Amino acid sequence: MGARKMAVTLLRYTPDPQEIIAMGAKLCYSPAGIEELKHGIEGKNQAPFLEKLLDSGHLSPVEHASFTFGIEGVSRSLLAQLTRHRIASYSVKSQRFVPETGAAEEDGVFGYIIPPRIEALGREYVEIFKSQMAQIQKWYDFWREKLGGGESSNEDARFVLPNAAETKVLVTMNARELLHFFSLRCCNRAQWEIRALAVEMLRLVRAVAPVIFKDAGPGCVRGSCHEGRMSCGRAQEVRERFKNL
C-alpha cells in the first residue's frame, strides 16, 4: 500500500434534512398535528425559519438530521482525535482481524500517511520516511511469524506499528454535533490532518443542507475567535475561506 491520501465520502444522510429539522422546531410551538405540520413544510422554503432557529440557539431540533461518512487514507493519530467526539457512532478497520501485510503488487508495506511538513523537506526526506515505514513492516512481520500468525499474533505484533499507519472509518454524527465538531476542528489551531478532514466533511454536508451549515466552521466565522491569546490572527482570511468553501 505505502503512502496514502485522505478520501472522504458522504455515504448517507437523513432525507430532506432541513425539512425534518424545521418540522421538529415547529412542532415545539404549534398546536397542529404531525400530518398538518408535514404538509405545511414539504416543498416550501424553510431557509428564513431555519436561520432564525439557528440564531436563537434552539439547536435540539438540529439533532434530527444525521450524516454518515466513509473516511480512508487517514492515520491512527487522527483516529485518536476523532473519537474524542463522543456523540457519534464509529466503525473502524481492525488491526486485530486485518493484518497490516501491505500489498505485493505495490511496495509490500502497510498503508501510512506522510505529514506535509516532511513532504515539504523534499524527496530525500520522503524516501527516508518511507524506508522507516518499510523497516517497521519488517519488525511487524517478524513478530507475526514468531507469534504463530493469525488473529492472536496480529493483536500483539501491531504494538510496533506507528501512529502513521493508515486506517479506515465509518462515522455518523447528527447535525448539531457536526456544528460543534466544525467549530473546533476547522480552526487553524487544530492539528493539520483532522482540520483537513473537518473542512472536507463540511464541504460535503453544506451541499445537501446549505442553510444549516451556512455559517459552520471555526468560531471566528460567526464572531470573535475563541482561542484568545493563542489566536492565529487571521480571522478575516478564515471568514472569506469558509464563505467560499
Side-chain angles (χ1 to χ4, degrees):
M1 294 183 184
R4 311 293 289 176
K5 295 295 184 182
M6 181 186 296
V8 186
T9 304
L10 179 57
L11 296 172
R12 298 285 189 279
Y13 56 91
T14 302
D16 301 314
Q18 296 185 156
E19 285 190 3
I20 197 65
I21 290 170
M23 185 172 179
K26 290 185 176 183
L27 179 66
C28 297
Y29 306 109
S30 172
I34 297 294
E35 283 301 316
E36 185 180 350
L37 282 170
K38 183 172 178 286
H39 178 74
I41 288 172
E42 286 181 341
K44 295 181 181 178
N45 180 19
Q46 298 300 322
F49 176 74
L50 290 173
E51 288 171 354
K52 183 178 179 181
L53 179 74
L54 293 168
D55 288 343
S56 74
H58 182 191
L59 298 181
S60 60
V62 180
E63 297 172 15
H64 290 298
S66 63
F67 302 79
T68 298
F69 304 85
I71 303 166
E72 54 190 332
V74 295
S75 70
R76 301 289 294 196
S77 178
L78 179 140
L79 179 64
Q81 299 176 78
L82 182 61
T83 52
R84 290 174 188 155
H85 296 271
R86 297 189 298 275
I87 306 177
S89 298
Y90 302 99
S91 296
V92 182
K93 186 187 80 169
S94 171
Q95 287 183 328
R96 181 184 183 190
F97 294 102
V98 183
E100 298 284 3
T101 53
E105 66 273 15
E106 296 184 35
D107 55 10
V109 181
F110 61 88
Y112 55 81
I113 311 305
I114 305 177
R117 289 184 67 193
I118 291 178
E119 290 183 320
L121 292 174
R123 184 174 182 80
E124 174 188 355
Y125 293 94
V126 169
E127 291 304 317
I128 291 173
F129 187 88
K130 288 182 175 181
S131 70
Q132 291 169 342
M133 297 299 105
Q135 180 59 60
I136 292 173
Q137 180 73 61
K138 292 176 183 177
W139 292 336
Y140 175 81
D141 292 342
F142 171 84
W143 287 116
R144 286 190 76 239
E145 180 182 355
K146 289 298 180 183
L147 295 169
E151 175 189 323
S152 61
S153 64
N154 294 342
E155 68 182 8
D156 288 338
R158 64 181 168 173
F159 276 66
V160 302
L161 293 171
N163 273 338
E166 187 230 9
T167 193
K168 298 175 178 64
V169 189
L170 199 73
V171 56
T172 301
M173 292 185 186
N174 68 49
R176 184 178 187 177
E177 177 61 13
L178 278 171
L179 288 170
H180 174 65
F181 175 73
F182 296 146
S183 72
L184 297 176
R185 302 301 187 171
C186 288
C187 177
N188 279 344
R189 292 276 301 155
Q191 184 261 355
W192 65 266
E193 189 179 18
I194 199 166
R195 183 173 68 245
L197 172 64
V199 170
E200 181 60 12
M201 289 169 65
L202 173 53
R203 187 185 68 80
L204 292 170
V205 296
R206 188 176 281 181
V208 297
V211 179
I212 296 301
F213 297 106
K214 175 185 175 183
D215 294 323
C220 63
V221 169
R222 298 173 302 282
S224 60
C225 175
H226 297 161
E227 293 292 319
R229 289 182 297 175
M230 301 298 287
S231 172
C232 71
R234 296 155 56 192
Q236 190 55 44
E237 175 187 328
V238 172
R239 291 182 189 119
E240 286 300 315
R241 180 187 177 199
F242 282 91
K243 178 181 177 182
N244 300 306
L245 189 66

